[in-house]
Amino acid sequence: MSLDHDSLRAALTRRAFLQTAALGTGGLVLALHLPACSRKPQEVTPFAPNAWLKIGNDDVITFFCDRSEMGQGVYTALPTLLAEELGADLEKIKIEFAPPGDAYTNALLGGQVTGGSTSVRDAWPKLRKAGAQAREMLVAAAAKQWNADAANIRVQQGAVISPSGERLTFGALADEAGKLPVPQDVPLKERSAWQLIGKPRTRLDTPMKVDGSAQFGIDVKLPGMLYAAIALPPVLGSKPKNVDSSAAKSMPGVREVLTTSSGVVVVGDTWWQARQARDALTVEWEAAPAAAVSDASIWRGLKQASKNAGVVARQEGDAAAAIKSARRVVRSEYELPLLAHATLEPQNCTADVRADGCDVYVPTQVQGFALAAASKASGLPAEKVRIHTTLLGGGFGRRLETDFIPAAVEASKAVGKPVKVLWTREDDTTHDVYRPPAFNTCAGAFDGDGKLVAWSHHLTAPSITE
């Protein structure tokens, strides 16, 4: 899905920080212990100079990837930027997805958002700086230990090397480096010194996707987890009016039938049992204004709106005059329909709601929005909600929405166990947040030699972000 960067940025700026600020999701930039996305206590990290990097004295280097991996390659591209300046072996860096936090704001979009083809552009200065900060601190720690001039010390493949050839690993220097102030004005490598950036390489996520160890949202499994299928309304905005669940509740493996903010959820021991029981539900849905909308009414509205002058996006010369006086004019109309994203992985979410907190495992492009949705659905404050971003089996902008999150959270809260809600392919296709339709009128003017002398293109379409 092609997104208009300016309109996307404006919409996300309006929504993202209003929500995250209200929920108190601020993240710290220095000496972070951000990855609280685990119910097990994290070990104390001796060296965490910024939000993206942690170096343990066991020589484990961890990069916190603040953009969602949906096939576009940030799992490889972003740690490459940091590893280049740090002087680390990229193949040995452990990669985890970052939790929600203001430190991970996409400056081009105004929130912690993966979209608009902005990930590398946004990361280019700050991840290189993050790597350089750590490198300078490690070198300073080594210089102090060796009583040497830092200018004569080099960094290579995860080790700091003295003028005489003595080597200290990053882990060996982590404790001392962690005691030093974080430098703000750090030199970045010249292009001629790059060892990783711009060089061909295999993707870091390919092996795990080949051997099956990669974890997408659909793969999440938790101890004692139940599965759920959802009956979604046939019309946007409709709510269940009457639900006859007697047949569904008598079927094998069915634990509960719940009416949630999204639709009617059937919770079962297996997803297939839940799906079969869902199909046995009899649901009467309330009437909704969207029921009056049809393809015909949409096209009528677009064609009526196309009579308006609209906003001029680009104008060179006097096309109207050239078309009027041209020897030959060709006119054509083009209609682009509503279009589903059709991600390979249907929408899904796994939630584990307890009295002391809520863990949500979800393929999302908007960690802050996901946090807000889960907090609202669970009734818990944001600080008690943890978002675990999984790999995305396709995004394309579809997972900029959070409509597939609340049902899982509400179901888990109701049954007191972890619950995975998985949409069917039919659910996903009929309840997508579709690409808007568009009506285009085009005209081309030609002179006597058949040369194009003027072009006019009038586009009428709803906004993607309104």
Side-chain angles (χ1 to χ4, degrees):
M1 180 178 188
S2 178
L3 300 178
D4 180 287
H5 296 172
D6 292 333
S7 59
L8 178 60
R9 182 188 311 133
L12 292 171
T13 300
R14 287 195 299 271
R15 295 167 56 193
F17 279 157
L18 288 176
Q19 289 185 348
T20 54
L23 288 168
T25 59
L28 299 176
V29 177
L30 300 179
L32 284 181
H33 189 54
L34 277 177
C37 290
S38 173
R39 294 169 62 182
K40 295 180 180 179
Q42 298 280 330
E43 68 176 41
V44 176
T45 304
F47 187 40
N50 48 61
W52 297 274
L53 180 65
K54 177 176 75 173
I55 301 177
N57 47 23
D58 56 358
D59 279 326
V60 174
I61 302 173
T62 304
F63 169 70
F64 299 108
C65 187
D66 56 357
R67 298 294 169 257
S68 304
E69 175 57 67
M70 49 189 166
Q72 84 281 35
V74 295
Y75 195 90
T76 302
L78 300 193
T80 297
L81 300 179
L82 184 137
E84 178 69 78
E85 296 293 341
L86 177 60
D89 183 345
L90 180 60
E91 301 289 344
K92 295 182 179 179
I93 292 180
K94 179 183 177 183
I95 301 172
E96 296 182 5
F97 289 109
D102 289 351
Y104 303 120
T105 295
N106 184 329
L108 299 174
L109 298 179
Q112 189 175 348
V113 180
T114 306
S117 301
T118 61
S119 293
V120 173
R121 284 190 290 141
D122 172 67
W124 180 257
K126 58 191 180 186
L127 289 189
R128 293 181 65 202
K129 179 179 178 180
Q133 285 176 324
R135 180 192 69 221
E136 292 291 291
M137 296 170 74
L138 290 165
V139 167
K144 180 179 179 181
Q145 183 167 327
W146 290 327
N147 194 25
D149 185 351
N152 296 323
I153 294 174
R154 58 193 176 94
V155 177
Q156 184 178 6
Q157 294 290 297
V160 180
I161 305 171
S162 73
S164 63
E166 187 177 353
R167 300 172 63 91
L168 287 172
T169 66
F170 288 174
L173 293 165
D175 288 332
E176 286 303 315
K179 299 174 184 176
L180 301 175
V182 179
Q184 295 305 310
D185 186 14
V186 290
L188 302 181
K189 288 184 179 180
E190 297 291 334
R191 179 185 293 268
S192 59
W194 291 350
Q195 300 294 314
L196 300 173
I197 296 176
K199 311 298 181 182
R201 67 168 307 101
T202 56
R203 288 176 52 145
L204 299 179
D205 53 344
T206 297
M208 62 182 178
K209 290 177 178 177
V210 171
D211 66 22
S213 61
Q215 188 173 77
F216 295 83
I218 202 171
D219 299 319
V220 172
K221 293 182 179 179
L222 301 177
M225 185 178 77
L226 300 175
Y227 298 80
I230 184 169
L232 294 165
V235 175
L236 185 67
S238 182
K239 301 293 182 182
K241 185 176 181 180
N242 292 302
V243 180
D244 181 356
S245 59
S246 55
K249 287 182 176 179
S250 66
M251 297 176 71
V254 174
R255 296 291 190 97
E256 190 63 79
V257 177
L258 308 163
T259 298
T260 71
S261 59
S262 307
V264 183
V265 170
V266 178
V267 181
D269 293 331
T270 70
W271 185 80
W272 184 247
Q273 289 174 323
R275 158 69 191 280
Q276 293 290 90
R278 183 207 69 171
D279 293 347
L281 293 172
T282 300
V283 183
E284 180 186 356
W285 301 92
E286 294 178 349
V293 178
S294 66
D295 284 351
S297 68
I298 289 172
W299 290 120
R300 282 196 303 269
L302 286 174
K303 290 179 180 180
Q304 181 63 35
S306 71
K307 297 176 182 179
N308 300 326
V311 177
V312 176
R314 178 177 174 182
Q315 181 170 318
E316 296 180 12
D318 191 344
I323 291 173
K324 187 175 182 180
S325 61
R327 183 73 170 269
R328 177 171 174 252
V329 178
V330 177
R331 302 179 187 276
S332 188
E333 296 179 349
Y334 299 90
E335 297 177 353
L336 298 175
L338 289 160
L339 187 66
H341 295 86
T343 57
L344 182 62
E345 177 191 23
Q347 308 316 309
N348 65 88
C349 179
T350 302
D352 182 10
V353 181
R354 306 166 308 281
D356 64 340
C358 171
D359 287 275
V360 178
Y361 305 80
V362 62
T364 180
Q365 293 176 241
V366 281
Q367 285 74 16
F369 289 170
L371 177 64
S375 177
K376 180 179 179 181
S378 66
L380 293 170
E383 58 268 21
K384 290 191 175 183
V385 178
R386 289 164 293 277
I387 300 298
H388 307 255
T389 303
T390 66
L391 293 170
L392 282 60
F396 320 129
R398 174 62 180 96
R399 289 179 163 102
L400 291 170
E401 305 295 333
T402 59
D403 53 326
F404 46 91
I405 293 177
V409 176
E410 293 170 36
S412 175
K413 181 178 180 180
V415 301
K417 291 179 178 293
V419 174
K420 177 193 287 185
V421 172
L422 173 63
W423 289 18
T424 65
R425 178 64 65 199
E426 293 84 354
D427 294 335
D428 199 11
T429 303
T430 56
H431 293 81
D432 202 341
V433 182
Y434 305 105
R435 182 196 70 181
F439 177 65
N440 300 261
T441 56
C442 301
F446 301 85
D447 63 16
D449 296 326
K451 180 182 177 181
L452 181 68
V453 294
W455 168 267
S456 173
H457 185 169
H458 189 77
L459 164 65
T460 307
S463 167
I464 290 176
T465 53
E466 283 299 320

